[in-house]
């Protein structure tokens, strides 16, 4: 990271893990958005309808699974599957670490329109221990949650013999990352999930406190089992133009999806990723490790779809990116059994010296977002 490149379109820096840039200084996420202009979206929708027709239940049983947080994106997918395409999805939720009230309200609002939800909250003794451990070791209190949220829908599909899973978007394509296969933005590939989204094998997490049985719900089922049961997983964003702000407007209109009463810590908006109180810590550590925070993430996604102009985005970034998560700090420290002194020591441990430098008595980034 000796030379940090800033995308000329969306402002995302090259310090983002796995992102790639072309010779013109445009990131692969923005180039992917350009490619969408050439897509025949009517044909893509036709493919989607064929898939639904193949799997649609005739006896009231579940015909697909939607991994569902209760947020705007997964809720928009669930609503469309049920009320537009007449599917009967089972919504699966791997519980947030520290569930928020606004997240609970929005889950109830969608469920009241006619859905079943399989909500799973894992052993909190183990979860809290792993949050603390991974926060100390990796600067990320959600490593095990990343595993659980990826594993749980697949485990439910196997258990209930549901052949079809619809995920939201392929993040490596939409937001910049390492795309392993030519159809990775359509079909969810197990190897990519393990490499890019979980990034570890939960079998490695055993220690004197956690045994292998404690980790069962974090372990991804074998590809042999999935193949035997003929379970397929697709990205909704392959079939329909993906736009997070349009998703928000859609659910706001359809079932009065609620926004937070205040701006979310570290960013300018009040409608995205609100269901877990530990998220502001997660995004703050992203800023510490990679030099960009939640605000830059949010503005980049809106810039890609022309919902925001560059000047406004830069103003927001200057004002909010890297904001210290004061509002949720006590809850998160309590959850991880960490005091403030230890918290600050962990932050310093994970501060990336390649991108931070000490000027006077303050640490500052070596690059500017302009």
């Amino acid at each position: 990271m000796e030379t940090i490149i800033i995308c000329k379109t969306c402002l995302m820096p090259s310090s983002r893990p796995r992102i790639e840039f072309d010779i013109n200084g445009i990131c692969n996420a923005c180039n992917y958005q350009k490619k969408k202009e050439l897509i025949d979206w009517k044909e893509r929708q036709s493919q989607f309808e064929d898939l639904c027709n193949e799997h649609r239940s005739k006896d009231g049983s579940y015909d697909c699974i939607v991994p569902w947080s209760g947020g705007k994106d997964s809720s928009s997918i669930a609503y469309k599957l049920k009320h537009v395409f007449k599917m009967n999805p089972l919504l699966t939720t791997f519980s947030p670490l520290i569930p928020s009230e606004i997240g609970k309200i929005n889950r109830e609002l969608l469920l009241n329109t006619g859905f079943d939800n399989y909500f799973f909250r894992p052993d909190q003794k183990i979860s809290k221990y792993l949050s603390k451990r991974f926060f100390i070791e990796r600067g990320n209190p959600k490593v095990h949650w990343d595993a659980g949220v990826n594993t749980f829908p697949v485990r439910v599909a196997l258990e209930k013999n549901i052949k079809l899973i619809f995920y939201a978007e392929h993040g490596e394509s939409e937001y910049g990352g390492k795309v392993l296969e030519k159809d990775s933005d359509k079909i969810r590939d197990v190897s990519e999930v393990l490499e890019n989204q979980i990034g570890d094998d939960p079998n490695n997490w055993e220690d004197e406190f956690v045994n292998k049985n404690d980790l069962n719900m974090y372990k991804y089922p074998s590809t042999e089992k999935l193949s035997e049961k003929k379970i397929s997983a697709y990205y909704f964003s392959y079939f329909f133009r993906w736009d997070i702000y349009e998703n928000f407007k859609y659910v706001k209109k359809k079932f009065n999806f609620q926004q937070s009463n205040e701006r979310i810590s570290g960013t300018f908006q009040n409608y995205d990723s609100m269901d877990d109180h530990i998220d502001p810590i997660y995004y703050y550590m992203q800023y510490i490790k990679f030099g960009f925070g939640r605000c830059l993430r949010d503005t980049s996604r809106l810039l890609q779809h022309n919902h925001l102009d560059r000047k406004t985005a830069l103003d927001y970034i200057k004002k909010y990116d890297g904001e210290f998560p004061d509002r949720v700090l006590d809850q998160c420290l309590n959850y991880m059994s960490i005091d403030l002194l230890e918290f600050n020591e962990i932050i310093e441990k994970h501060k990336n010296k390649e991108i931070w430098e000490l000027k006077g008595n303050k640490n500052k980034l070596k690059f500017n977002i302009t």
Side-chain angles (χ1 to χ4, degrees):
M1 292 194 289
E2 291 181 3
T3 301
I4 299 294
I5 302 170
I6 308 300
C7 180
K8 293 181 179 178
T9 301
C10 76
L11 298 173
M12 185 59 67
S14 58
S15 54
R16 175 183 168 86
R18 302 184 301 277
I19 199 169
E20 297 175 357
F21 284 75
D22 66 16
I23 59 174
N24 298 312
I26 307 297
C27 76
N28 55 345
C30 290
N31 282 324
Y32 183 75
Q33 302 306 321
K34 291 178 184 177
K35 290 179 182 178
K36 289 183 179 181
E37 301 302 321
L38 304 176
I39 291 173
D40 183 343
W41 291 105
K42 289 184 178 180
E43 168 58 24
R44 289 283 180 92
Q45 179 170 335
S46 178
Q47 292 180 37
F48 180 81
E49 290 173 348
D50 288 344
L51 193 58
C52 289
N53 291 338
E54 179 184 347
H55 290 273
R56 188 176 290 107
S57 169
K58 295 181 175 61
D59 60 3
S61 58
Y62 304 120
D63 45 32
C64 62
I65 283 177
V66 177
W68 179 62
S69 67
K72 63 187 186 346
D73 297 323
S74 56
S75 291
S76 69
I77 292 168
Y79 192 95
K80 290 171 184 176
L81 280 165
K82 178 89 174 187
H83 299 295
V84 178
F85 296 102
K86 309 305 178 184
M87 298 290 282
N88 188 29
L90 173 63
L91 310 185
T92 62
T93 307
F94 193 84
S95 173
L97 297 183
I98 310 175
S100 68
E101 184 62 26
I102 189 70
K104 179 181 177 182
I105 289 169
N106 281 325
R107 283 192 293 272
E108 286 298 308
L109 284 170
L110 181 68
L111 293 176
N112 287 336
T113 72
F115 290 89
D116 291 341
N117 174 218
Y118 199 162
F119 187 99
F120 180 79
R121 187 148 176 83
D123 181 334
Q124 287 300 285
K125 184 177 180 181
I126 299 299
S127 181
K128 291 177 180 181
Y129 172 81
L130 290 173
S131 273
K132 179 177 182 177
R133 174 179 159 183
F134 291 135
F135 184 58
I136 294 170
E137 290 179 1
R138 311 181 194 187
N140 180 0
K142 298 187 71 173
V143 172
H144 61 304
W145 183 87
D146 288 335
V149 79
N150 278 284
T151 297
F152 183 58
V154 182
R155 283 184 167 272
V156 174
L158 286 169
E159 176 189 313
K160 298 190 174 296
N161 197 29
I162 301 172
K163 308 295 186 186
L164 188 59
I165 307 174
F166 283 115
Y167 288 86
E169 80 275 44
H170 181 244
E172 299 295 303
S173 294
E174 294 285 342
Y175 310 126
K178 185 178 181 181
V179 180
L180 299 184
E181 305 290 343
K182 64 178 182 179
D183 61 353
S184 288
D185 61 345
K186 177 182 181 181
I187 300 170
R188 192 169 171 88
D189 180 75
V190 173
S191 61
E192 184 176 6
V193 170
L194 298 177
E195 179 176 336
N196 293 342
Q197 297 184 38
I198 300 174
D200 198 359
D201 184 344
N203 287 306
N204 297 329
W205 303 346
E206 290 184 49
D207 60 16
E208 68 279 359
F209 187 82
V210 177
N211 64 53
K212 63 179 181 180
N213 293 329
D214 294 326
L215 299 169
N216 282 336
M217 288 309 299
Y218 300 104
K219 295 176 183 177
Y220 207 87
S222 70
T223 53
E224 291 78 10
K225 284 185 179 179
L226 298 177
S227 179
E228 178 186 339
K229 289 285 189 177
K230 297 181 180 179
I231 293 172
S232 299
Y234 295 89
Y235 290 105
F236 196 83
S237 60
Y238 175 81
F239 302 101
F240 301 92
R241 188 186 292 271
W242 188 253
D243 187 322
I244 60 170
Y245 189 65
E246 291 299 326
N247 290 344
F248 162 64
K249 291 197 297 183
Y250 184 84
V251 293
K252 186 72 175 176
K253 178 181 178 181
K254 293 298 182 181
F255 61 89
N256 197 29
F257 180 88
Q258 296 295 293
Q259 298 162 248
S260 174
N261 291 326
E262 57 185 350
R263 176 184 60 80
I264 296 169
S265 177
T267 190
F268 63 93
Q269 50 85 9
N270 67 342
Y271 56 82
D272 179 58
S273 190
M274 304 181 293
D275 62 306
D276 197 332
H277 285 305
I278 211 164
D279 278 357
I281 300 290
Y282 170 85
Y283 288 113
Y284 181 72
M285 293 307 296
Q286 177 180 278
Y287 179 72
I288 293 298
K289 292 187 289 184
F290 307 121
F292 71 95
R294 192 173 194 171
C295 188
L296 199 151
R297 162 194 179 269
D298 293 343
T299 54
S300 289
R301 296 180 183 188
L302 294 186
L303 279 167
Q304 288 171 344
H305 295 280
N306 300 311
H307 294 304
L308 203 63
D309 63 80
R310 195 176 184 88
K311 182 183 181 304
T312 303
L314 287 167
D315 288 343
Y316 282 146
I317 291 167
K318 184 178 180 180
K319 192 172 184 179
Y320 300 122
D321 211 43
E323 180 181 27
F324 191 79
D326 287 306
R327 280 179 264 163
V328 300
L329 186 59
D330 287 343
Q331 285 175 286
C332 296
L333 294 181
N334 181 62
Y335 188 83
M336 295 185 288
S337 298
I338 293 174
D339 62 32
L340 183 58
L341 177 61
E342 187 177 7
F343 179 79
N344 288 327
E345 289 173 347
I346 293 166
I347 289 173
E348 287 304 311
K349 171 185 172 182
H350 290 286
K351 189 164 284 180
N352 189 339
K353 301 302 188 293
E354 290 185 273
I355 60 175
W356 291 94
E357 61 183 345
L358 190 63
K359 288 191 174 181
N361 61 350
K362 289 186 178 181
N363 279 295
K364 293 189 176 181
L365 287 171
K366 294 180 181 179
F367 62 92
N368 294 314
I369 305 295
T370 57

